[in-house]
Amino acid sequence: MSQKKLLASLKSILPSHCVLSTEEELRPYECDGLSAYRQIPKLVLLPETVDQVQQVMRLCYAEKLPVVARGAGTGLSGGALPLADGVILSLAKFNQILDVDYANRIARVEPGVRNLAISEAVGRLGLYYAPDPSSQIACTIGGNVAENSGGVHCLKYGLTVHNIAQIKVVTAEGELITIGGSGLDAPGYDLLALLTGSEGMLGIIVEVTVKLIPKPDFVQVLLAAFDDIEKAATAVGDIIAQGVIPAGLEMMDNPAIRAAEAFVHAGYPVDAAAILLCELDGGSEEELSEQVDTVSNILYQAQASQVRVAEDAQQRATFWQGRKAAFPAVGRISPDYYCMDGTIPRKQLPAVLKRISELSKEYGLAVANVFHAGDGNLHPLILYDANIPGELERTEQFGGQILEACVGAGGSITGEHGVGVEKIDQMCVQFQPLELEYFHAIKDAFDEHGLLNPGKAVPTLHRCAELGAMHVHKGQLPFPELERF
Amino acid sequence: MEKDLSLELQAQVTAASEQDTPLRIIGGDSKAFYGGELIGEALSVAGHRGIVSYEPSELVVTVRSGTPLKDLERVLAAQGQMLPFEPPHYGDGATIGGTIACGFSGPRRPFAGAARDFVLGCKVLTGKGDIVSFGGQVMKNVAGYDVARLMTGALGTLGVLLEISLKVLPMPEQEVTLSMPLSTTEALDVMCARAVKPLPLTAASYDGEVVCLRLSGAPSALKAAQKKIAGEVLDYGEQYWREVREQEYYFFQSTLPLWRLSLAPATLPLPLQGQWFFDWGGAQRWLASDMMPADIRDAVAAEGGHATLFRNKHYYEGIAYADVFHPLSKPVNKIHQKLKTVFDPKNILNRDRFVIF
């Protein structure tokens, strides 16, 4: 079908202001939060009803036109990066909270509703939606489901997959299906889990029923400073080993502390090698103060140089402010930064941090570390300058090596940002060819023509084979059974 | 007792696949009552046992599927930890593999999460004879599709579970159960009203006469919670919840078909004849009834839920819509068929045990 004919067909489905086709209109969609990768799409479509989404998908299916779904475009792995020969299907117009069911503790929302808007809408009922990615002001729930987003409170309250009950999905063929149910489970295979975090590769999410949980009555935040990052890492394991599950347990290293302090003046100890922020919550003041005492003792025993307990709600907010502003704070001290997202078993923290600092010297690129220490999710920020020729490439190489170190330590290349285009090569390190084949077969089961976000998240075996030549571990060539080119 | 039988099991599955021989997977044989017909030669996983790794401070345990559930729970308890989804055993020999394959969760489920919520990764032997690993041993991991959770509750129809990595949590310091006699509608109101408040609630049931609410946590937390909610302390709380979890409570002694209804917790009582037991704060309702399966399924579906014929399925022999599992919509069924083909193209694993494709 010619572009002209395609436009005419689309405009018979969608109002003409919902079809974007000129360069000025398409430019804002050229990238998501991973702005190092850019591509102008063929078209951008902004449907307003589920029926329109179905019709668009049927047309794209008939025309074998690739479709990349997009929420707010805040993703950090290039999951919503357009394809030159594909359309962007923006769900931005689906921005209504359809129903809040207080007694059943659920809310039915459209995919374009912002994460934070849900908690704001149900706050007066004493409820909230727990997953809180740092982009929660802007990111949408549809994107959260597609990426299985986390946040600072996942250790205690889980990821997106633990906090949704049902989704409605338009398939590659344009069929509308319901996955999950109004109860706590559904018959058949757990497709809800399979779809969550599938990065737009298996279907288009058009409605999400989220679970809501009661807001805790009492919250406290502790800030502990350490003169050695290893001591801080050990303290994290000690807290968990004592049977305390904090609502949030975050760590920042010295470069991150300095950047954050200069930016928001949270009162962080700028000479500390590392700080831990520990949020505790409970149902009574007494219970909470016992927990605060327990954790303070553990922190001192782990040789914290100081432990501060927030005096009031304002100070709690201030303690968190530095952590929440850590990324933009680092953005102020470096022309560009590259945010990684590996996870490791907690006990490996000291070893992996040491490896990162060695790599930092090797590459001559500084790193600031901010992480969800409680669940072993690292966010090393590599500082670089994209204007220096070759520096982005070196940064990506450095980042790739960090992720490989995470896999080597028994972890994963991504804890919450997704694979997208960014970490696709590291998938070859984490998975065997046979496992990747099963992933491709699962994709085929949902999308036989490979039209939904093709080329993302799961690498082809040939891509891995080509890369294999570059990553030889312990003298063993990965994928020995595949031909080399 | 520790033994890795992965390769032996792989050889058996590969041979069965080549000869188109159906296999029925058996762990401790404690859940043979559940699901569709048992077809094929026995593939015994019980000998494939042992804890592969367990570090309490990581909150993660990796275990071979044939490991008895009670052994695993004992090892965790020695470190003050537990499986947070409080799995039912339904028999002395229950294995962790069978528990995860069935996806069973106990009374704690609505407040802590289901079996699938605590599955971090698994190693699985597919119907093609491939041994593949998905997920991992870390709390957060979004690399690749979430096949580990897809396997949970799939009743072995997508693969034989070999190893499972689970998130574990500290055991609560103390538990107390409060009870109060109420009518059915009052009971549902009370269970839902408690669940929307920040209370250390870990179980809520109603047996037709008495509501029982379990609180778990630090002694100070329980004391504070008891000031907020009414109810008399039940002396035998621990025994009560064990009996409910294991279906040893008197309600479950009925010889009528036992239906498991999964509904939104606040759903009003359904007009179906039979004996009722409400667990999961109203989200899991047990109905002992010989009503026609189609009538039960229609009533539940009208409320957005689903019904499983949990026990005594043979009561309905020859009657329509008496499949164990609730029928799937046509397009969802098609996805199921295709996924089955991906993992077990010759349909040799637990044929006819799960949903009818």
Side-chain angles (χ1 to χ4, degrees):
Chain A
M1 199 184 270
S2 69
Q3 176 90 348
K4 204 175 147 196
K5 221 170 143 198
L6 179 67
L7 274 175
S9 302
L10 285 165
K11 284 181 179 168
S12 73
I13 298 171
L14 301 170
S16 53
H17 68 274
C18 296
V19 181
L20 310 184
S21 58
T22 66
E23 208 203 311
E24 319 72 278
E25 290 174 324
L26 299 176
R27 180 70 67 185
Y29 294 88
E30 68 178 349
C31 68
D32 61 9
L34 183 71
S35 56
Y37 292 82
R38 290 164 195 267
Q39 173 62 55
I40 302 270
K42 188 183 178 84
L43 294 169
V44 172
L45 310 176
L46 294 129
E48 293 173 323
T49 67
V50 172
D51 183 58
Q52 288 172 357
V53 174
Q54 289 185 260
Q55 288 190 56
V56 165
M57 290 310 296
R58 284 186 205 124
L59 178 67
C60 292
Y61 183 78
E63 294 302 315
K64 302 232 174 11
L65 197 59
V67 178
V68 178
R70 181 183 168 107
T74 56
L76 293 170
S77 58
L81 180 74
L83 297 163
D85 61 346
V87 301
I88 287 283
L89 185 69
S90 166
L91 283 308
K93 295 198 174 200
F94 291 83
N95 59 2
Q96 297 300 307
I97 294 177
L98 300 172
D99 181 37
V100 175
D101 184 343
Y102 176 65
N104 287 312
R105 310 178 315 272
I106 49 175
R108 208 159 51 84
V109 307
E110 292 185 331
V113 170
R114 292 175 304 111
N115 173 298
L116 190 61
I118 300 173
S119 291
E120 284 171 351
V122 301
R124 66 191 163 79
L125 301 171
L127 300 172
Y128 76 113
Y129 174 66
D132 56 345
S134 41
S135 56
Q136 71 178 148
I137 288 178
C139 65
T140 61
I141 193 70
N144 288 178
V145 175
E147 300 291 330
N148 192 13
S149 305
V152 298
H153 291 99
C154 329
L155 177 63
K156 189 163 182 179
Y157 297 107
L159 302 152
T160 304
V161 70
H162 302 110
N163 287 282
I164 56 174
Q166 179 181 287
I167 53 176
K168 288 187 181 166
V169 174
V170 173
T171 66
E173 293 160 51
E175 256 176 311
L176 178 66
I177 58 173
T178 301
I179 288 171
S182 67
L184 293 175
D185 44 44
Y189 296 136
D190 196 337
L191 299 184
L192 189 60
L194 186 65
L195 269 287
T196 307
S198 64
E199 304 196 19
M201 309 267 292
L202 305 182
I204 307 290
I205 297 156
V206 293
E207 189 185 297
V208 183
T209 301
V210 299
K211 294 181 187 169
L212 305 171
I213 59 173
K215 281 195 275 192
D217 281 332
F218 300 94
V219 179
Q220 187 52 281
V221 181
L222 288 82
L223 187 158
F226 293 84
D227 59 14
D228 176 355
I229 197 158
E230 271 192 46
K231 289 178 187 166
T234 309
V236 170
D238 292 347
I239 291 170
I240 310 272
Q242 281 291 314
V244 178
I245 304 294
L249 187 53
E250 299 284 308
M251 196 196 289
M252 292 166 73
D253 72 357
N254 183 270
I257 297 167
R258 283 175 182 275
E261 183 56 26
F263 186 30
V264 298
H265 312 295
Y268 286 175
V270 290
D271 50 352
I275 59 167
L276 281 183
L277 285 169
C278 179
E279 182 172 303
L280 300 165
D281 59 19
S284 75
E285 219 161 345
E286 200 192 341
E287 179 200 1
L288 191 63
S289 80
E290 283 171 7
Q291 275 198 63
V292 169
D293 288 348
T294 307
V295 171
S296 301
N297 285 337
I298 298 169
L299 290 167
Y300 279 123
Q301 270 170 24
Q303 298 174 41
S305 54
Q306 56 163 307
V307 179
R308 288 191 230 156
V309 180
E311 278 164 19
D312 49 32
Q314 200 192 333
Q315 200 174 15
R316 287 204 301 273
T318 311
F319 281 0
W320 272 121
Q321 204 183 0
R323 164 62 185 89
K324 288 191 172 165
F327 289 13
V330 168
R332 290 172 75 236
I333 59 167
S334 172
D336 299 281
Y337 69 84
Y338 190 48
C339 174
M340 309 308 297
D341 176 43
T343 60
I344 51 169
R346 271 181 299 268
K347 66 176 172 190
Q348 300 283 3
L349 266 174
V352 172
L353 289 175
K354 192 160 160 257
R355 175 78 185 129
I356 292 174
S357 116
E358 284 166 10
L359 286 166
S360 168
K361 284 191 197 107
E362 209 176 288
Y363 280 91
L365 293 166
V367 176
N369 278 296
V370 178
F371 36 75
H372 308 306
D375 34 33
N377 190 183
L378 312 175
H379 288 318
L381 305 173
I382 304 173
L383 314 189
Y384 73 103
D385 184 348
N387 288 325
I388 299 174
E391 195 150 301
L392 171 63
E393 289 71 22
R394 279 198 301 131
T395 301
E396 286 185 321
Q397 230 177 65
F398 178 7
Q401 283 195 264
I402 292 176
L403 298 185
E404 287 164 30
C406 290
V407 174
S412 169
I413 57 170
T414 174
E416 55 185 6
H417 295 171
V419 174
V421 291
E422 183 203 18
K423 293 177 270 285
I424 196 151
D425 290 341
Q426 280 72 40
M427 283 291 281
C428 309
V429 180
Q430 187 164 337
F431 292 98
Q432 298 297 316
L434 200 53
E435 291 152 358
L436 296 174
E437 277 182 39
Y438 276 95
F439 287 150
H440 286 297
I442 290 168
K443 166 123 179 102
D444 289 346
F446 284 84
D447 176 20
E448 57 184 332
H449 298 314
L451 300 176
L452 294 170
N453 216 5
K456 312 277 178 70
V458 186
T460 62
L461 298 189
H462 279 130
R463 186 182 181 108
C464 291
E466 281 180 54
L467 277 167
M470 293 193 289
H471 300 290
V472 181
H473 292 296
K474 295 177 185 159
Q476 281 186 326
L477 207 60
F479 305 93
E481 66 279 22
L482 287 178
E483 283 180 75
R484 295 297 191 278
F485 310 103
Chain B
M1 287 296 272
E2 299 217 348
K3 207 159 182 193
D4 183 348
L5 298 181
S6 303
L7 297 178
E8 287 86 339
L9 291 165
Q10 186 178 31
Q12 278 178 269
V13 170
T14 304
S17 167
E18 280 163 7
Q19 293 152 20
D20 283 323
T21 311
L23 295 172
R24 62 190 162 96
I25 308 164
I26 298 182
D29 208 17
S30 55
K31 299 172 184 66
F33 68 87
Y34 181 66
E37 294 308 313
L38 306 173
I39 290 174
E41 280 177 21
L43 180 77
S44 175
V45 188
H48 180 66
R49 60 170 71 182
I51 289 170
V52 179
S53 67
Y54 173 41
E55 284 192 58
S57 71
E58 298 289 331
L59 301 177
V60 177
V61 65
T62 298
V63 62
R64 292 195 190 101
S65 52
T67 308
L69 185 53
K70 60 177 185 202
D71 290 4
L72 173 61
E73 289 181 324
R74 198 181 306 126
V75 169
L76 298 177
Q79 301 295 327
Q81 296 187 337
M82 61 175 188
L83 296 173
F85 54 100
E86 202 181 359
H89 292 229
Y90 298 142
D92 206 36
T95 62
I96 186 64
T99 302
I100 297 303
C102 291
F104 287 154
S105 308
R108 206 173 238 282
R109 191 268 171 260
F111 311 99
R116 59 87 102 159
D117 291 322
F118 296 93
V119 171
L120 300 175
C122 68
K123 188 193 272 185
V124 59
L125 168 58
T126 70
K128 297 201 274 190
D130 295 330
I131 293 179
V132 273
S133 293
F134 299 101
Q137 285 88 46
V138 282
M139 295 291 151
K140 290 165 82 177
N141 182 0
V142 293
Y145 301 123
D146 196 343
V147 179
R149 289 198 173 92
L150 180 67
M151 292 288 161
T152 310
L155 274 171
T157 56
L158 298 177
V160 183
L161 292 168
L162 292 178
E163 277 174 25
I164 304 149
S165 295
L166 295 157
K167 178 177 176 179
V168 298
L169 283 177
M171 293 168 108
E173 270 182 73
Q174 219 177 61
E175 297 201 312
V176 63
T177 298
L178 302 176
S179 68
M180 202 178 0
L182 289 174
S183 73
T184 305
T185 40
E186 286 170 339
L188 282 170
D189 282 350
V190 163
M191 290 193 289
C192 291
R194 298 295 174 248
V196 291
K197 297 291 175 201
L199 294 164
L201 199 60
T202 59
S205 75
Y206 177 65
D207 67 355
E209 288 171 16
V210 177
V211 159
C212 288
L213 303 173
R214 183 176 64 191
L215 305 166
S216 312
S220 57
L222 300 194
K223 224 168 88 188
Q226 275 177 268
K227 279 186 196 153
K228 289 181 203 159
I229 57 176
E232 203 177 314
V233 173
L234 195 70
D235 293 335
Y236 52 94
E238 203 184 322
Q239 181 193 339
Y240 172 76
W241 293 111
R242 190 183 59 244
E243 288 181 358
V244 169
R245 186 190 72 209
E246 297 300 337
Q247 300 191 339
E248 287 164 1
Y249 195 65
Y250 76 88
F251 167 85
F252 295 98
Q253 306 314 314
S254 166
T255 52
L256 289 176
L258 179 68
W259 290 87
R260 174 183 179 273
L261 276 46
S262 174
L263 289 156
T267 308
L268 293 174
L270 299 182
L272 296 170
Q273 294 305 310
Q275 297 298 310
W276 291 89
F277 186 95
F278 296 72
D279 197 359
W280 294 6
Q284 174 171 266
R285 302 182 186 186
W286 298 100
L287 170 64
S289 169
D290 57 2
M291 278 186 76
M292 281 298 111
D295 294 338
I296 293 174
R297 293 219 143 105
D298 288 348
V300 176
E303 296 293 337
H306 68 100
T308 309
L309 178 48
F310 201 81
R311 283 186 194 263
N312 305 332
K313 58 179 180 276
H314 296 296
Y315 194 96
Y316 287 123
E317 229 143 89
I319 290 172
Y321 303 106
D323 296 334
V324 169
F325 298 100
H326 207 84
L328 304 171
S329 74
K330 224 168 137 190
V332 172
N333 193 303
K334 199 169 98 187
I335 293 170
H336 277 67
Q337 284 173 14
K338 287 184 173 178
L339 286 173
K340 173 74 175 170
T341 308
V342 168
F343 288 94
D344 180 20
K346 292 189 170 176
N347 191 13
I348 58 166
L349 297 175
N350 280 358
R351 185 181 290 177
D352 292 355
R353 183 94 193 254
F354 201 34
V355 285
I356 306 301
F357 299 112

PDB file of all heavy atoms in Angstrom, chain A residues 166-178:
ATOM      1  N   GLN A 166      -5.864  -7.282  36.463  1.00  0.00           N
ATOM      2  CA  GLN A 166      -6.423  -7.604  35.144  1.00  0.00           C
ATOM      3  C   GLN A 166      -5.928  -6.599  34.111  1.00  0.00           C
ATOM      4  O   GLN A 166      -5.719  -5.433  34.434  1.00  0.00           O
ATOM      5  CB  GLN A 166      -7.945  -7.549  35.234  1.00  0.00           C
ATOM      6  CG  GLN A 166      -8.660  -7.842  33.928  1.00  0.00           C
ATOM      7  CD  GLN A 166     -10.166  -7.752  34.072  1.00  0.00           C
ATOM      8  OE1 GLN A 166     -10.809  -8.608  34.655  1.00  0.00           O
ATOM      9  NE2 GLN A 166     -10.743  -6.682  33.535  1.00  0.00           N
ATOM     10  N   ILE A 167      -5.743  -7.064  32.886  1.00  0.00           N
ATOM     11  CA  ILE A 167      -5.468  -6.133  31.792  1.00  0.00           C
ATOM     12  C   ILE A 167      -6.349  -6.495  30.595  1.00  0.00           C
ATOM     13  O   ILE A 167      -6.739  -7.650  30.438  1.00  0.00           O
ATOM     14  CB  ILE A 167      -3.978  -6.130  31.351  1.00  0.00           C
ATOM     15  CG1 ILE A 167      -3.478  -7.547  31.030  1.00  0.00           C
ATOM     16  CG2 ILE A 167      -3.104  -5.499  32.410  1.00  0.00           C
ATOM     17  CD1 ILE A 167      -2.042  -7.589  30.504  1.00  0.00           C
ATOM     18  N   LYS A 168      -6.658  -5.484  29.809  1.00  0.00           N
ATOM     19  CA  LYS A 168      -7.299  -5.738  28.518  1.00  0.00           C
ATOM     20  C   LYS A 168      -6.262  -5.420  27.456  1.00  0.00           C
ATOM     21  O   LYS A 168      -5.554  -4.413  27.544  1.00  0.00           O
ATOM     22  CB  LYS A 168      -8.556  -4.890  28.357  1.00  0.00           C
ATOM     23  CG  LYS A 168      -9.671  -5.396  29.257  1.00  0.00           C
ATOM     24  CD  LYS A 168     -10.991  -4.715  29.019  1.00  0.00           C
ATOM     25  CE  LYS A 168     -12.023  -5.293  29.991  1.00  0.00           C
ATOM     26  NZ  LYS A 168     -13.223  -4.460  30.053  1.00  0.00           N
ATOM     27  N   VAL A 169      -6.198  -6.311  26.487  1.00  0.00           N
ATOM     28  CA  VAL A 169      -5.114  -6.257  25.523  1.00  0.00           C
ATOM     29  C   VAL A 169      -5.684  -6.400  24.120  1.00  0.00           C
ATOM     30  O   VAL A 169      -6.570  -7.225  23.891  1.00  0.00           O
ATOM     31  CB  VAL A 169      -4.128  -7.428  25.787  1.00  0.00           C
ATOM     32  CG1 VAL A 169      -3.055  -7.501  24.725  1.00  0.00           C
ATOM     33  CG2 VAL A 169      -3.500  -7.303  27.166  1.00  0.00           C
ATOM     34  N   VAL A 170      -5.201  -5.587  23.184  1.00  0.00           N
ATOM     35  CA  VAL A 170      -5.535  -5.797  21.775  1.00  0.00           C
ATOM     36  C   VAL A 170      -4.377  -6.581  21.161  1.00  0.00           C
ATOM     37  O   VAL A 170      -3.215  -6.200  21.293  1.00  0.00           O
ATOM     38  CB  VAL A 170      -5.757  -4.462  21.042  1.00  0.00           C
ATOM     39  CG1 VAL A 170      -5.933  -4.698  19.544  1.00  0.00           C
ATOM     40  CG2 VAL A 170      -6.987  -3.752  21.604  1.00  0.00           C
ATOM     41  N   THR A 171      -4.715  -7.713  20.534  1.00  0.00           N
ATOM     42  CA  THR A 171      -3.672  -8.587  19.987  1.00  0.00           C
ATOM     43  C   THR A 171      -3.165  -8.050  18.647  1.00  0.00           C
ATOM     44  O   THR A 171      -3.738  -7.118  18.079  1.00  0.00           O
ATOM     45  CB  THR A 171      -4.219 -10.007  19.754  1.00  0.00           C
ATOM     46  OG1 THR A 171      -5.211  -9.930  18.720  1.00  0.00           O
ATOM     47  CG2 THR A 171      -4.839 -10.574  21.019  1.00  0.00           C
ATOM     48  N   ALA A 172      -2.110  -8.681  18.163  1.00  0.00           N
ATOM     49  CA  ALA A 172      -1.540  -8.286  16.872  1.00  0.00           C
ATOM     50  C   ALA A 172      -2.599  -8.360  15.774  1.00  0.00           C
ATOM     51  O   ALA A 172      -2.569  -7.588  14.825  1.00  0.00           O
ATOM     52  CB  ALA A 172      -0.364  -9.198  16.532  1.00  0.00           C
ATOM     53  N   GLU A 173      -3.546  -9.272  15.925  1.00  0.00           N
ATOM     54  CA  GLU A 173      -4.586  -9.424  14.902  1.00  0.00           C
ATOM     55  C   GLU A 173      -5.777  -8.498  15.122  1.00  0.00           C
ATOM     56  O   GLU A 173      -6.738  -8.526  14.364  1.00  0.00           O
ATOM     57  CB  GLU A 173      -5.074 -10.879  14.883  1.00  0.00           C
ATOM     58  CG  GLU A 173      -4.011 -11.841  14.407  1.00  0.00           C
ATOM     59  CD  GLU A 173      -4.292 -13.276  14.821  1.00  0.00           C
ATOM     60  OE1 GLU A 173      -5.417 -13.749  14.576  1.00  0.00           O
ATOM     61  OE2 GLU A 173      -3.390 -13.910  15.386  1.00  0.00           O
ATOM     62  N   GLY A 174      -5.733  -7.722  16.209  1.00  0.00           N
ATOM     63  CA  GLY A 174      -6.803  -6.759  16.443  1.00  0.00           C
ATOM     64  C   GLY A 174      -7.921  -7.271  17.319  1.00  0.00           C
ATOM     65  O   GLY A 174      -8.969  -6.634  17.441  1.00  0.00           O
ATOM     66  N   GLU A 175      -7.700  -8.408  17.960  1.00  0.00           N
ATOM     67  CA  GLU A 175      -8.729  -8.929  18.863  1.00  0.00           C
ATOM     68  C   GLU A 175      -8.557  -8.340  20.260  1.00  0.00           C
ATOM     69  O   GLU A 175      -7.425  -8.133  20.709  1.00  0.00           O
ATOM     70  CB  GLU A 175      -8.644 -10.458  18.934  1.00  0.00           C
ATOM     71  CG  GLU A 175      -9.740 -11.096  18.128  1.00  0.00           C
ATOM     72  CD  GLU A 175      -9.656 -12.607  18.089  1.00  0.00           C
ATOM     73  OE1 GLU A 175      -8.576 -13.157  17.814  1.00  0.00           O
ATOM     74  OE2 GLU A 175     -10.700 -13.214  18.307  1.00  0.00           O
ATOM     75  N   LEU A 176      -9.685  -8.116  20.941  1.00  0.00           N
ATOM     76  CA  LEU A 176      -9.625  -7.587  22.304  1.00  0.00           C
ATOM     77  C   LEU A 176      -9.757  -8.755  23.272  1.00  0.00           C
ATOM     78  O   LEU A 176     -10.733  -9.497  23.235  1.00  0.00           O
ATOM     79  CB  LEU A 176     -10.767  -6.588  22.526  1.00  0.00           C
ATOM     80  CG  LEU A 176     -10.859  -5.975  23.922  1.00  0.00           C
ATOM     81  CD1 LEU A 176      -9.654  -5.095  24.228  1.00  0.00           C
ATOM     82  CD2 LEU A 176     -12.150  -5.159  24.071  1.00  0.00           C
ATOM     83  N   ILE A 177      -8.764  -8.937  24.139  1.00  0.00           N
ATOM     84  CA  ILE A 177      -8.847 -10.030  25.112  1.00  0.00           C
ATOM     85  C   ILE A 177      -8.676  -9.489  26.534  1.00  0.00           C
ATOM     86  O   ILE A 177      -8.056  -8.446  26.744  1.00  0.00           O
ATOM     87  CB  ILE A 177      -7.813 -11.153  24.845  1.00  0.00           C
ATOM     88  CG1 ILE A 177      -6.377 -10.606  24.863  1.00  0.00           C
ATOM     89  CG2 ILE A 177      -8.088 -11.859  23.539  1.00  0.00           C
ATOM     90  CD1 ILE A 177      -5.321 -11.698  24.773  1.00  0.00           C
ATOM     91  N   THR A 178      -9.272 -10.218  27.479  1.00  0.00           N
ATOM     92  CA  THR A 178      -9.148  -9.865  28.887  1.00  0.00           C
ATOM     93  C   THR A 178      -8.278 -10.908  29.561  1.00  0.00           C
ATOM     94  O   THR A 178      -8.498 -12.105  29.389  1.00  0.00           O
ATOM     95  CB  THR A 178     -10.540  -9.846  29.548  1.00  0.00           C
ATOM     96  OG1 THR A 178     -11.339  -8.886  28.851  1.00  0.00           O
ATOM     97  CG2 THR A 178     -10.444  -9.443  31.010  1.00  0.00           C
TER      98      THR A 178
END
